Amino acid sequence: MTAAPQVVVLANSELLAAATAARLLTSVIDAQAARGTASVVLTGGRTGNAVMAQLLASPVKDAVDWSNVDFYWGDERFLPAGDPERNETQAREALLDHLPIDPTRVYAMEPSDGKFGDDPDAAAEAYAQLLASKADDGQVPVFDVCLLGVGEEGHTASIFPESPAVYETSRTVVAVRDCPKPPPTRVSLTLPAIRRSTEVWLLTGGEAKADALAMAFGGATEVEIPAAGARGQQRTLWLLDKAAAAKLS
């Protein structure tokens, strides 16, 4: 079983990022108080990067033992290392390079000029093996919080409507080709992997997302709106601004 969605609506995109950062810091502190460690799945995009900027700006960040946080990614653009469009590059510049993290606990997906060369399937399989090696049981570790964005057509991570990735039921990480948004080749967690998270938070803002959100909450299937299939074991939280939530009843 996974958790039914809850919705929090903020007045604007700035408050959305700030509120998400505040919640995430509290969640990490709570996880470390309980177990000494925490794990977070990062997301890119405008909202994800704004959240990381707010995390760095918050004085509460000093209450976190950053050396005992595991960082993963929900998806990655299959580009060369250091490319400014890679989620990893953006996360390092916005947050990770400025915190006392343990670099061995930052689990990035392989770039297109990495050990597997221009083979996204091999990069996906390697990340799946990494996740399995960190799992106490099963194929994926239990992430404390999985942050995800939502696209205008309802994609999340790099799982697009009607794409092969949205039909995946056994693999935890897949290569994604021919994405409708550039770059066309990516590596992504699948919905079964995402649903191993204790909490899944879907972050999005702007009126361009309103139709997809209305469909997600109106009974659309995950094949039609993949974000509708992203759910946490204990909590599924949609953090929205007013513009994105405008068509929700």
Side-chain angles (χ1 to χ4, degrees), residues 1-115:
M1 290 291 291
T2 51
Q6 299 172 292
V7 180
V8 175
V9 180
L10 288 305
N12 54 52
S13 59
E14 291 78 14
L15 283 174
L16 168 60
T20 302
R23 285 175 176 271
L24 184 59
L25 287 168
T26 300
S27 294
V28 170
I29 291 166
D30 287 349
Q32 291 187 334
R35 302 190 317 276
T37 187
S39 59
V40 177
V41 178
L42 297 173
T43 186
R46 183 176 58 195
T47 303
N49 290 334
V51 170
M52 287 187 281
Q54 290 284 349
L55 286 169
L56 190 62
S58 173
V60 180
K61 71 180 185 297
D62 295 329
V64 174
D65 177 2
W66 292 105
S67 67
N68 275 311
V69 180
D70 293 313
F71 294 98
Y72 300 89
W73 274 266
D75 72 323
E76 185 56 275
R77 294 154 176 170
F78 196 59
L79 296 167
D83 189 290
E85 292 300 307
R86 273 179 63 86
N87 290 334
E88 177 199 359
T89 305
Q90 295 173 10
R92 289 187 183 279
E93 291 177 352
L95 181 67
L96 300 179
D97 287 349
H98 310 284
L99 295 175
I101 60 170
D102 180 347
T104 67
R105 299 180 74 162
V106 177
Y107 302 110
M109 296 174 174
E110 281 292 322
S112 62
D113 59 350
K115 67 176 72 173

Side-chain angles (χ1 to χ4, degrees), residues 150-154 204-218 225 238 240-249:
V150 182
E152 294 177 10
E153 74 300 275
T204 197
E207 62 183 352
K209 312 295 180 67
D211 286 336
L213 266 62
M215 290 180 65
F217 284 90
I225 303 289
W238 290 72
L240 316 172
D241 69 8
K242 276 189 174 181
K247 297 185 179 180
L248 300 183
S249 57

Side-chain angles (χ1 to χ4, degrees), residues 189-236:
L189 300 189
T190 60
L191 290 174
I194 289 167
R195 290 194 284 254
R196 286 280 291 169
S197 307
T198 301
E199 299 194 14
V200 168
W201 300 2
L202 296 115
L203 327 171
T204 197
E207 62 183 352
K209 312 295 180 67
D211 286 336
L213 266 62
M215 290 180 65
F217 284 90
T221 68
E222 62 193 43
V223 172
E224 298 169 307
I225 303 289
R231 298 185 298 274
Q233 293 291 315
Q234 295 182 18
R235 194 176 202 191
T236 306

